[in-house]
Amino acid sequence: MPSLAPTASHAPIVLSPSYAERVLWQEQAPRPASAPAALASDADVVVIGAGYAGLSAARELATRGRSVVVLDKEPIGWGASTRNGGMVIPELKAGPATLTKTYGPLGARLYAEVNEAFDHVEGLVAGPDGGGPIECDYRRTGQLYLAHAERLVPYLQGIAQEHGDELGEPVHFVPREGLAEEIGSSAYHGGVVYERTGAIHPAKFHAGLAQLASDAGAVLHGSTPATEIVTRDAGHVRVVTSRGTIDAHDALVFTNAYADGVLPQLRRRVLPIGSFIIATDVLDPELARSVSPRDRMLVDTKNFLFYWRLTPDGRLLFGGRRSLAASTIPQARDFLYASMLAVHPQLRGTAVDRAWGGYVAVTLDRLPHVGRIGGVTYATGCNGSGVA
């Protein structure tokens, strides 16, 4: 069995003539429009952070008749919502039995919530509410969760029993001898298939959410950092920005791994961890099928896991991180390339065309957190669990 730990004996990295350290997804999607220079002096709600959560909240509030201003310190569409792997997974870092045992009825509700989130994404893509579909290359692919060590096979069998046998979900275990039908690699000892997983073009999906929010009446301002939130009388807030102040009834903060000084307590609740991705040149279709015969979303069980998939235009996207230590994009790129070849030796000689990185927000309990700090509502801690 090949080792999943890259060594110096691996072939040197091959870079495409068009190689660049840029986000492939961002290059393939239109940049969401930002508002003109004028900044409103008041609004019902100010949303800070224009990722999936911020845009979804803005759209929901605007459709209910609220005046909404969305602020982002970077250009709209710069952050994690357009940098991620594009995997739509109804996932928390613990299963339903563990959640219920630990949190009681709240745990069951948490698990139900992520399944509802998955359905919500598919509903947004389909456009059942008259908002129109979001063209984002979405497809229901299923996910293959792979045991990188033999000792983890019983763990995966337990997952399949919990989700499939006990809850009746479309989840099943695949023994090592059956993996050839799922993945072109001999590096793994077994896997679990979750059918309720999808592939999405994350930047096109983000652009679609931005359009839905704007169409509902929300006003989006990129390159407009909020620097302070001041609680005023009667529960009102004043949001101080680089371009003026906005008086509002409520402020919502959805900065995730990019939390800053606008809500200092929030920054202390998440750990930003770097995650990096490489994308190959477009593969020959036969080679692509040899890597992923069923076009699954692929994830392994390592603590510093790998995640990979075929893109809509036929590249292999391979992501992960070596450790918690800081890394440059070239360092991460070379590690991921060697790791990709350790998993899929048939890709030897395939060139890398794009490489990029970003941050994942990790919480101490590996669960998302929603609450209020000083009268300000926040949601954070996606923990690298995908788009939904």
Side-chain angles (χ1 to χ4, degrees):
M1 186 194 82
S3 169
L4 296 182
T7 69
S9 64
H10 280 282
I13 189 167
V14 180
L15 298 181
S16 171
S18 59
Y19 169 77
E21 292 174 11
R22 296 198 296 267
V23 183
L24 176 72
W25 304 126
Q26 294 177 357
E27 295 180 322
Q28 295 177 338
R31 174 75 71 180
S34 191
L39 189 70
S41 60
D42 60 83
D44 290 328
V45 182
V46 175
V47 175
I48 300 171
Y52 298 144
L55 293 175
S56 297
R59 180 203 179 209
E60 183 69 22
L61 289 162
T63 58
R64 293 168 182 259
R66 309 299 197 274
S67 59
V68 183
V69 173
V70 181
L71 307 174
D72 201 293
K73 66 181 177 183
E74 303 291 348
I76 304 295
W78 176 88
S81 290
T82 60
R83 294 172 183 265
N84 65 84
M87 299 183 179
V88 186
I89 308 170
E91 175 191 86
L92 291 174
K93 295 301 182 183
T98 299
L99 289 168
T100 302
K101 181 179 179 180
T102 305
Y103 300 103
L106 175 60
R109 180 65 190 133
L110 283 168
Y111 184 70
E113 185 79 14
V114 295
N115 278 285
E116 291 167 13
F118 177 80
D119 294 336
H120 178 66
V121 171
E122 288 199 331
L124 283 172
V125 171
D129 61 355
I134 297 178
E135 300 295 339
C136 55
D137 303 308
Y138 180 77
R139 60 193 187 279
R140 178 82 75 91
T141 60
Q143 175 196 6
L144 180 63
Y145 186 38
L146 291 153
H148 77 282
E150 190 172 1
R151 60 182 169 77
L152 290 164
V153 169
Y155 165 68
L156 293 192
Q157 290 172 325
I159 287 177
Q161 180 177 353
E162 179 182 1
H163 287 266
D165 298 343
E166 297 175 9
L167 296 179
E169 296 178 353
V171 177
H172 66 273
F173 176 74
V174 182
R176 185 172 187 178
E177 57 270 22
L179 281 179
E181 297 181 8
E182 292 283 351
I183 182 172
S185 175
S186 60
Y188 295 99
H189 297 264
V192 172
V193 171
Y194 298 81
E195 296 291 353
R196 275 173 54 82
T197 292
I200 208 165
H201 191 299
K204 290 181 180 179
F205 180 62
H206 179 270
L209 282 180
Q211 190 62 56
L212 290 177
S214 295
D215 290 348
V219 182
L220 280 53
H221 291 274
S223 302
T224 307
T227 58
E228 187 180 10
I229 302 173
V230 181
T231 303
R232 305 180 67 206
D233 59 331
H236 287 52
V237 296
R238 173 166 289 171
V239 179
V240 182
T241 82
S242 61
R243 295 168 44 212
T245 61
I246 309 172
D247 291 327
H249 293 285
D250 289 288
L252 313 179
V253 177
F254 302 115
T255 49
N256 208 38
Y258 295 88
D260 56 20
V262 71
L263 198 61
Q265 304 95 318
L266 187 59
R267 183 166 52 183
R268 294 194 292 269
R269 298 188 182 198
V270 296
L271 175 65
I273 294 179
S275 188
F276 298 87
I277 293 175
I278 58 173
T280 68
D281 282 337
V282 174
L283 302 179
D284 176 85
E286 186 174 343
L287 178 59
R289 282 192 296 273
S290 80
V291 169
S292 184
R294 298 183 184 272
D295 198 15
R296 303 287 197 194
M297 302 295 95
L298 303 164
V299 182
D300 71 18
T301 52
K302 295 193 313 302
N303 187 31
F304 295 108
L305 56 80
F306 297 139
Y307 54 95
W308 65 109
R309 56 167 289 188
L310 297 172
T311 64
D313 60 349
R315 307 166 189 266
L316 186 74
L317 180 150
F318 195 91
R321 64 191 68 85
R322 170 177 266 162
S323 70
L324 293 179
S327 177
T328 66
I329 291 177
Q331 288 171 337
R333 175 202 67 203
D334 292 356
F335 168 73
L336 289 174
Y337 185 79
S339 302
M340 179 184 75
L341 294 186
V343 175
H344 293 292
Q346 67 267 49
L347 293 174
R348 186 175 296 270
T350 300
V352 173
D353 188 53
R354 291 290 183 270
W356 68 93
Y359 288 99
V360 173
V362 175
T363 57
L364 187 63
D365 60 8
R366 304 301 300 275
L367 291 174
H369 290 204
V370 179
R372 287 176 68 80
I373 296 174
V376 177
T377 298
Y378 70 89
T380 191
C382 294
N383 290 285
S385 292
V387 170

